[in-house]
Amino acid sequence: MKLHVLASLAILLSTLPGYAADGDVPENIQGRWVDKGKACDASGEPMVVSATSLVYSDGRVDDVVFEAGTGGDGVIGLRSEDVSSYEYVAADDTLLFRPEGFGMGSTFPMVRCQERTSILERRCGWLANLSSGNWWLVDADAAWILREKADDNAAVTAVMDMVPAFDPDQYVSMGQYYGYGCACMTMTTDSAQDRILAITSSKREPLATCQADPSLPAIIE
């Protein structure tokens, strides 16, 4: 299994602007991953990879940045001072966890969990957090609910695990804590409730992409 040598993650993490979308984990890598040989269920302790984070089975979250190699390979590096990294090998669709850092020490392979969602939709629009605990993806059809303040269940937590962080350079602030950006998501919905039931991947887009779409409603500030 041949991996291509990538630029130093230490240099990358010190120079890349915080959460810039060009450092996002590609959509084809996002999803649930588990240690090779374990089941993709609660006992298998799956890890969720989103565009901007890793969410572990115990609820811990690491913010990450992706550095692309060649041939589809790449490295997911942690934004914290932890040297651990995850190397993606496109040839066999595998993640290699390296606790001692890129190209160093022991390697622990991880495999992808197959998603069970049957009907997937690609929707793009405003990713909005306009009040405490309330999140939506607003497109031409609806303000799709990602989370409401009163929600407290595993299904909603799984949805929010896949929601990317806002890009600070492509974000409209509406006060100290709230605002909106632009994003695309591949997801399953309940159209009767305007609710997002699951997200398999997401991609942050420039504000200009949503601003130029005449089908999108304006966000009321």
Side-chain angles (χ1 to χ4, degrees), residues 12-143:
L12 173 69
L13 293 173
S14 66
T15 59
L16 188 69
Y19 298 102
D22 56 4
D24 284 359
V25 177
E27 290 187 83
N28 67 300
I29 303 176
Q30 295 175 35
R32 297 184 305 133
W33 292 80
V34 72
D35 292 341
K36 189 173 182 179
K38 290 190 175 181
C40 286
D41 54 24
S43 64
E45 301 181 343
M47 176 182 73
V48 176
V49 180
S50 78
T52 59
S53 67
L54 305 180
V55 182
Y56 304 101
S57 59
D58 61 3
R60 290 179 300 116
V61 179
D62 271 324
D63 300 325
V64 298
V65 62
F66 183 79
E67 171 70 3
T70 59
D73 294 347
V75 174
I76 300 173
L78 309 187
R79 289 183 179 271
S80 65
E81 295 182 0
D82 193 329
V83 298
S84 301
S85 67
Y86 294 80
E87 299 176 21
Y88 178 70
V89 184
D92 55 6
D93 193 31
T94 302
L95 275 182
L96 303 178
F97 173 48
R98 291 188 179 271
E100 297 171 63
F102 170 68
M104 303 291 290
S106 303
T107 301
F108 301 92
M110 303 184 73
V111 295
R112 185 190 302 275
C113 297
Q114 296 301 313
E115 300 299 334
R116 298 178 181 177
T117 52
S118 55
I119 300 177
L120 294 175
E121 306 170 23
R122 183 69 169 178
R123 292 186 175 274
C124 300
W126 300 112
L127 175 60
N129 173 213
L130 305 182
S131 58
S132 178
N134 295 300
W135 287 78
W136 300 270
L137 182 73
V138 183
D139 71 0
D141 295 326

Side-chain angles (χ1 to χ4, degrees), residues 174-192:
M174 297 178 64
Q176 185 175 3
Y177 302 108
Y178 311 117
Y180 60 92
C182 184
C184 291
M185 296 180 178
T186 300
M187 59 191 187
T188 300
T189 65
D190 176 351
S191 58

Side-chain angles (χ1 to χ4, degrees), residues 135-214:
W135 287 78
W136 300 270
L137 182 73
V138 183
D139 71 0
D141 295 326
W144 299 97
I145 300 167
L146 288 156
R147 184 185 187 277
E148 291 182 308
K149 187 173 183 178
D151 290 333
D152 184 17
N153 58 72
V156 172
T157 297
V159 167
M160 293 304 298
D161 284 347
M162 290 296 295
V163 174
F166 288 117
D167 183 334
D169 294 326
Q170 299 293 328
Y171 171 73
V172 178
S173 174
M174 297 178 64
Q176 185 175 3
Y177 302 108
Y178 311 117
Y180 60 92
C182 184
C184 291
M185 296 180 178
T186 300
M187 59 191 187
T188 300
T189 65
D190 176 351
S191 58
Q193 301 293 323
D194 291 343
R195 167 78 70 168
I196 296 174
L197 303 178
I199 301 171
T200 59
S201 68
S202 66
K203 184 177 185 296
R204 297 185 293 178
E205 299 285 356
L207 285 170
T209 300
C210 286
Q211 290 167 342
D213 186 345

